[in-house]
Coordinates of all heavy atoms in Angstrom, one line a residue:
T17 N 0.0 0.4 2.5 CA 1.3 1.0 2.0 C 1.6 0.7 0.6 O 1.2 -0.4 0.0 CB 2.4 0.3 2.9 OG1 3.6 0.8 2.7 CG2 2.5 -1.2 2.8
Q63 N 8.8 -11.8 -12.7 CA 8.8 -13.0 -11.7 C 8.6 -12.5 -10.3 O 8.5 -13.4 -9.3 CB 10.2 -13.5 -11.8 CG 10.5 -14.2 -13.1 CD 12.0 -14.7 -13.3 OE1 12.9 -13.8 -13.4 NE2 12.3 -15.9 -13.1
L106 N -0.7 7.1 -6.0 CA -1.1 7.3 -4.6 C -1.8 8.6 -4.3 O -2.8 8.5 -3.6 CB 0.1 7.2 -3.8 CG -0.1 7.0 -2.2 CD1 -0.9 5.7 -2.0 CD2 1.3 6.8 -1.5
N126 N 6.6 14.9 4.2 CA 7.3 14.8 3.0 C 8.4 15.9 2.8 O 8.3 16.9 3.6 CB 6.3 15.0 1.7 CG 5.2 13.9 1.7 OD1 5.6 12.7 1.8 ND2 3.9 14.3 1.6
R137 N -9.1 19.8 1.7 CA -8.1 20.3 2.7 C -8.7 20.4 4.0 O -9.7 20.8 4.3 CB -7.6 21.6 2.1 CG -6.3 22.1 2.9 CD -5.6 23.0 2.2 NE -5.1 22.6 0.9 CZ -4.8 23.4 -0.1 NH1 -5.2 24.6 -0.2 NH2 -4.3 22.9 -1.1

Side-chain angles (χ1 to χ4, degrees):
T17 185
Q63 295 171 284
L106 194 55
N126 299 312
R137 188 167 292 148

